[in-house]
Amino acid sequence: QKKRKRKDKMALLSRLVSVLGGPYNASVVGGVLVGLALARYHSRKERELRARGEEPSMLLVEILKDLKRIFRAARQWLTTRIYLSPRWCGFSAVNLCLFALWLWSVRLRDVSIIDSFWSIGFLVLALIYRFHRGDRLCLGWSKRQDMVLAMVAVWASRLSVYLTWRNHGMGEDFRYQAMRRSFGPSFWWISLFQTFFLQGALCFTISQPLYAALRLPAPQHFTALDAAGALTWAIGFVFETIGDAQLAAFKANPANKGKLLTTGLWSLTRHPNYFGNAAMFWGYFLFALNARGGWKTVYGPALMNYLLLKVSGVAMLERSLVKRKPGFEDYIKNTNAFLPWPL
């Protein structure tokens, strides 16, 4: 029943947004709504002038005064919320990047380009958390901060380059193709919110252990938590990097077409790259535990684990692999899905 209700809701949403039809109709509808709002504003201002006994010629002056108040409020908001707050600054920067990326995806008709930006979003946030000077100086240990930032930079650069290389010339990913078919002509603008801005919100939420590790007060020396965090991150990086390399080499061999990779790290876990990704974010959380209140950011790695296991990672991929790869069900029986140890 839950699945049926979810499908009904998606179908209803699809029918509603399909009214827009495409960029042209969307712009027409948007123009009509803006025109109605301006007409309502104009008539309200005229009534106010008549009530005060002023000339209608003063309408332009009143409009200019309102615009001045709006710009002043926007400037104050930008100053207090974005310039003075590293979190707001990071959130805004990531979503501006994603908006530009969305414009490019509309031109290419390929949403898959967002995959290469996933890790770069964390690097953008980490750089802002580390060097932003709006509200206060970073109160942690500078060597710890530089180590965490270096870890994020190494991971983000490697994963972005790898995904860009892997996806080059492959066309749009099957996940986004399914969304495009579901929403029809309206998908071009729905993807801005459902895919791009959603990724920005997830990236910001999951990055909060980085904020704690890079900005909050913490011991001014190397701790056992630093050692545990560095070790956990290193294990995760090795699993993700070697797992990706082994899979790429396996796929590059034409003799392996249609076969399953069940050797190397793939004999310990069905998804060594996902396990490695999750381990690295638990490593960042261990660094965050040094900071005052850093334990509160546990939802960051927990959300990453949930996404990898239940949403866009293991669950979604394996539903496809069961249909496409003969012998995958036996592989499931003999190999752990996530944690790397034999059954």
Side-chain angles (χ1 to χ4, degrees):
Q1 287 181 346
K2 289 182 179 180
K3 288 183 179 179
R4 194 181 304 112
K5 288 181 179 179
R6 191 181 301 116
K7 287 183 179 179
D8 291 342
K9 289 180 181 178
M10 293 299 290
L12 178 60
L13 178 61
S14 180
R15 286 195 295 272
L16 288 173
V17 299
S18 65
V19 173
L20 296 177
Y24 175 75
N25 288 340
S27 63
V28 170
V29 172
V32 170
L33 292 176
V34 171
L36 290 172
L38 290 175
R40 184 176 179 182
Y41 169 79
H42 185 273
S43 62
R44 181 171 64 84
K45 280 295 176 184
E46 282 188 331
R47 288 197 301 271
E48 290 178 0
L49 287 174
R50 284 197 297 268
R52 295 199 301 262
E54 297 180 3
E55 294 293 329
S57 58
M58 294 296 294
L59 179 61
L60 180 59
V61 176
E62 289 292 316
I63 292 174
L64 291 176
K65 286 181 179 178
D66 284 347
L67 287 174
K68 186 177 180 180
R69 282 194 290 269
I70 291 171
F71 285 129
R72 186 184 295 118
R75 185 179 63 183
Q76 184 179 1
W77 186 88
L78 288 171
T79 301
T80 56
R81 295 293 183 180
I82 297 179
Y83 177 72
L84 295 179
S85 169
R87 279 180 167 143
W88 272 103
C89 183
F91 181 79
S92 303
V94 166
N95 281 285
L96 281 173
C97 293
L98 286 167
F99 180 75
L101 198 65
W102 170 74
L103 292 175
W104 190 20
S105 77
V106 171
R107 185 182 176 207
L108 297 176
R109 290 187 58 81
D110 186 356
V111 177
S112 298
I113 60 175
I114 194 176
D115 292 343
S116 299
F117 185 79
W118 170 246
S119 59
I120 298 300
F122 289 98
L123 179 56
V124 171
L125 288 165
L127 286 168
I128 291 173
Y129 294 159
R130 175 67 180 91
F131 296 112
H132 192 279
R133 290 295 183 268
D135 58 348
R136 59 184 176 183
L137 296 177
C138 296
L139 300 176
W141 187 38
S142 61
K143 291 184 179 179
R144 178 185 300 113
Q145 294 164 343
D146 292 340
M147 180 166 58
V148 171
L149 180 59
M151 288 175 172
V152 176
V154 169
W155 164 72
S157 302
R158 187 212 71 84
L159 184 59
S160 181
V161 169
Y162 169 73
L163 291 176
T164 303
W165 168 79
R166 187 193 69 179
N167 296 339
H168 180 67
M170 299 296 291
E172 192 171 52
D173 188 271
F174 73 94
R175 297 167 297 169
Y176 305 121
Q177 289 181 6
M179 292 180 192
R180 194 179 291 278
R181 288 192 298 270
S182 175
F183 289 107
S186 303
F187 178 70
W188 71 275
W189 67 266
I190 293 175
S191 63
L192 174 63
F193 301 96
Q194 189 188 45
T195 304
F196 288 83
F197 284 166
L198 175 60
Q199 178 164 306
L202 290 173
C203 189
F204 174 76
T205 303
I206 295 170
S207 74
Q208 292 313 295
L210 295 174
Y211 176 84
L214 292 170
R215 290 203 72 83
L216 299 183
Q220 301 294 307
H221 56 82
F222 194 76
T223 68
L225 286 171
D226 292 328
L231 178 61
T232 304
W233 182 90
I235 291 171
F237 186 77
V238 166
F239 264 82
E240 185 183 70
T241 304
I242 295 180
D244 285 341
Q246 289 176 342
L247 183 61
F250 182 82
K251 288 183 174 180
N253 186 350
N256 293 326
K257 187 175 182 180
K259 296 181 180 179
L260 281 171
L261 173 59
T262 57
T263 59
L265 295 180
W266 298 82
S267 65
L268 302 176
T269 166
R270 301 199 298 272
H271 303 278
N273 46 356
Y274 291 157
F275 165 76
N277 193 303
M280 281 186 279
F281 277 83
W282 283 109
Y284 298 141
F285 174 68
L286 290 173
F287 282 109
L289 287 178
N290 284 296
R292 187 183 304 165
W295 62 271
K296 297 177 183 178
T297 65
V298 66
Y299 58 82
L303 177 57
M304 176 64 88
N305 261 43
Y306 178 75
L307 293 174
L308 290 172
L309 283 169
K310 301 296 183 181
V311 183
S312 61
V314 173
M316 179 180 286
L317 183 60
E318 292 200 345
R319 282 196 297 269
S320 171
L321 290 174
V322 166
K323 299 175 184 177
R324 295 188 291 111
K325 297 287 185 179
F328 191 76
E329 292 182 353
D330 293 332
Y331 183 48
I332 290 176
K333 295 176 183 177
N334 299 323
T335 312
N336 254 322
F338 200 66
L339 297 176
W341 61 57
L343 293 176

